[in-house]
Amino acid sequence: LWFCCLSIFLISPIGSFSQDLEEELEGLLGRIEVLVETMHKQGYTIVHIEVDKLEKGQYYTASRKLYNINDYAIMGIGGVGIADLDLELIDEGNNLIDRDDSDDNIPVLQVTPKWDGKFYIKASVHLLEDGYKASDEFFFCWIIGFKRSSE
């Protein structure tokens, strides 16, 4: 059921993936499925899943409209090679609303916006696993879920 909302944006053309990259992506998709099921059990409706590639030192930013009547969970997953993936939520005035401070590759943001508006989700690779180079590209994803605010 959740596959119908999966948006995958890949930089490499279809058919040019090596066997290792295909296995890496399949592993990430399996982790996404587990996280989506967990979020669903917590009462969240999944509204967006995004998968892409990122190098250490780069930022990946996308905008989403969020509504103040909802509680949001924005969760990320760092793929193979990513030891610490960070997420930030920024408003239209470039003010930091929330950031993940954990030192792992599953960042979690939980927020209830004070207003309706456009917000930016920014992902970055903070730390790599041993044996990986900063110039390598790594798969990551983020998942956005919401539920009606209890206020």
Side-chain angles (χ1 to χ4, degrees):
L1 177 65
W2 67 270
F3 286 103
C4 66
C5 64
L6 180 60
S7 302
I8 300 180
F9 302 96
L10 300 173
I11 294 171
S12 301
I14 295 190
S16 68
F17 284 131
S18 70
Q19 182 68 26
D20 290 342
L21 284 178
E22 284 182 33
E23 289 174 6
E24 182 180 333
L25 185 56
E26 286 176 12
L28 183 62
L29 292 175
R31 292 177 67 199
I32 290 169
E33 183 175 13
V34 170
L35 194 53
V36 164
E37 288 173 5
T38 300
M39 291 174 74
H40 182 71
K41 286 177 185 174
Q42 294 174 355
Y44 289 97
T45 299
I46 304 304
V47 293
H48 188 80
I49 299 173
E50 192 159 331
V51 177
D52 211 321
K53 291 163 64 174
L54 183 65
E55 292 179 18
K56 187 174 187 312
Q58 292 183 332
Y59 295 97
Y60 183 93
T61 305
S63 65
R64 298 295 299 176
K65 179 140 186 185
L66 302 181
Y67 300 92
N68 69 346
I69 61 170
N70 296 326
D71 296 326
Y72 290 91
I74 303 169
M75 303 182 79
I77 301 174
V80 172
I82 299 176
D84 185 8
L85 178 69
D86 290 334
L87 289 180
E88 294 179 346
L89 184 66
I90 300 164
D91 70 12
E92 286 184 290
N94 206 30
N95 300 299
L96 180 66
I97 302 300
D98 197 10
R99 114 175 351 132
D100 168 69
D101 290 326
S102 65
D103 294 328
D104 61 20
N105 66 358
I106 304 178
V108 177
L109 305 177
Q110 291 185 298
V111 64
T112 303
K114 294 184 175 157
W115 61 88
D116 295 350
K118 183 191 272 187
F119 291 83
Y120 299 91
I121 304 165
K122 183 168 136 181
S124 63
V125 176
H126 180 73
L127 184 66
L128 298 175
E129 294 174 354
D130 291 338
Y132 290 91
K133 302 179 299 209
S135 60
D136 292 339
E137 289 185 320
F138 304 95
F139 284 112
F140 76 99
C141 88
W142 66 51
I143 302 166
I144 303 172
F146 80 94
K147 57 185 172 182
R148 290 284 185 225
S149 178
S150 56
E151 294 182 40

